[in-house]
Amino acid sequence: MSTPAPALLTLDRVTKRFGGLTAVREVSLEVRAGDLLGIIGPNGAGKTTLFNVIAGYFRPEEGRIVFDGTDVTGRAAHEVSRLGLTRTFQIVKPFGNLSVRDNVMIGALTRRASTRLARADADRMIELCGLGPHATARARALPLALRKRLEVARALATQPRLLLLDEVMAGLNPTELAGIIDLVRRVHAEGVTLIVIEHIMAAMMRLAQRIVMLHHGEKIAEGTPREITSDRRVIDAYLGEEFVLADA
């Protein structure tokens, strides 16, 4: 029997508080290279806060975060990104007056000292994300679906081994949603390990290998999509009986 690969990311009882509010409480999980992990939960469950803690935007009060064998607990976001772990943001805020290419080059320049190499990296990410026809357009002129793709392209330009995607599907129509699902699959096929926050359960069921459920900052369930959607704790806290009936 083959030995499982070591974890790329390990969270050990990570806790984050804001004053008297505990936003994330003793969350532990492991992500291995090649995983596509989904994180679900109601608004206020602590999902985005957990991403901010993992990516170095917030320092946890308790617990430990290890990425590829390196303890990154409390390290700044730019340091964590250089190690190969980065995130996208639910509310996309590109540099509106810059072109799509220049926005992606900014991400590439965190890894490249040469503008020529950064431009080449940016062009590859632009093509991967389906933004080729819009490379010279100003970012502020893009509709939401293309700004979401730009957010992914900017993150990919930093050459992550682990990418945290925060609701890249929110606000999209069915056609746009199908396109983003295809993009996430292409990124994963490129060898990038993914953790995805998403409320659209139909999409999560199609994408995720495993799903973690957060509620009031705590991990209350973890399993395959089928296991999660049949877990009574998840049904009661988040999905509701209507989802179970529709999925039956």
Side-chain angles (χ1 to χ4, degrees), residues 37-245:
L37 175 71
I39 297 183
I40 64 171
N43 291 331
K47 303 182 298 297
T48 293
T49 298
L50 183 63
F51 266 21
N52 281 328
V53 171
I54 294 171
Y57 291 90
F58 295 157
R59 185 183 184 94
E61 273 70 42
E62 298 169 17
R64 188 165 174 255
I65 304 167
V66 178
F67 176 66
D68 197 23
T70 299
D71 191 331
V72 296
T73 312
R75 287 204 185 187
H78 67 276
E79 296 179 273
V80 176
S81 179
R82 286 197 191 107
L83 292 172
L85 192 167
T86 194
R87 62 156 304 177
T88 67
F89 291 87
Q90 179 182 353
I91 300 174
V92 292
K93 294 182 178 179
F95 296 99
N97 287 327
L98 297 183
S99 70
V100 166
R101 178 177 286 115
D102 287 345
N103 266 273
V104 182
M105 278 184 65
I106 289 170
L109 285 167
T110 66
R111 289 282 191 171
R112 298 291 197 183
S114 159
T115 301
R116 178 181 60 82
L117 292 176
R119 182 178 292 109
D121 286 350
D123 284 343
R124 282 194 295 273
M125 295 306 103
I126 286 168
E127 289 302 321
L128 176 66
C129 294
L131 291 168
H134 311 280
T136 60
R138 287 191 179 187
R140 68 182 181 187
L142 299 179
L144 177 62
L146 294 182
R147 279 186 277 131
K148 297 268 190 179
R149 289 174 178 266
L150 175 56
E151 181 78 358
V152 175
R154 289 200 303 170
L156 288 173
T158 69
Q159 301 178 27
R161 284 176 291 156
L162 174 58
L163 177 59
L164 315 180
L165 296 175
D166 193 352
E167 294 199 40
V168 292
M169 303 171 204
L172 303 184
N173 65 39
T175 300
E176 293 165 344
L177 179 61
I180 287 290
I181 289 173
D182 180 64
L183 173 58
V184 172
R185 285 177 171 152
R186 289 204 308 274
V187 170
H188 188 238
E190 289 282 320
V192 182
T193 303
L194 298 174
I195 308 179
V196 181
I197 291 174
E198 192 49 65
H199 282 289
I200 303 172
M201 281 303 299
M204 193 67 89
M205 292 284 287
R206 292 166 61 186
L207 285 171
Q209 300 163 340
R210 279 186 301 131
I211 295 176
V212 166
M213 165 78 181
L214 294 184
H215 189 50
H216 297 311
E218 298 184 59
K219 185 176 84 170
I220 67 168
E222 180 175 357
T224 65
R226 182 59 60 187
E227 289 168 343
I228 284 291
T229 54
S230 60
D231 190 308
R232 176 49 59 182
R233 296 166 298 177
V234 177
I235 295 167
D236 291 344
Y238 183 54
L239 295 179
E241 296 293 345
E242 294 82 0
F243 179 90
V244 177
L245 293 171

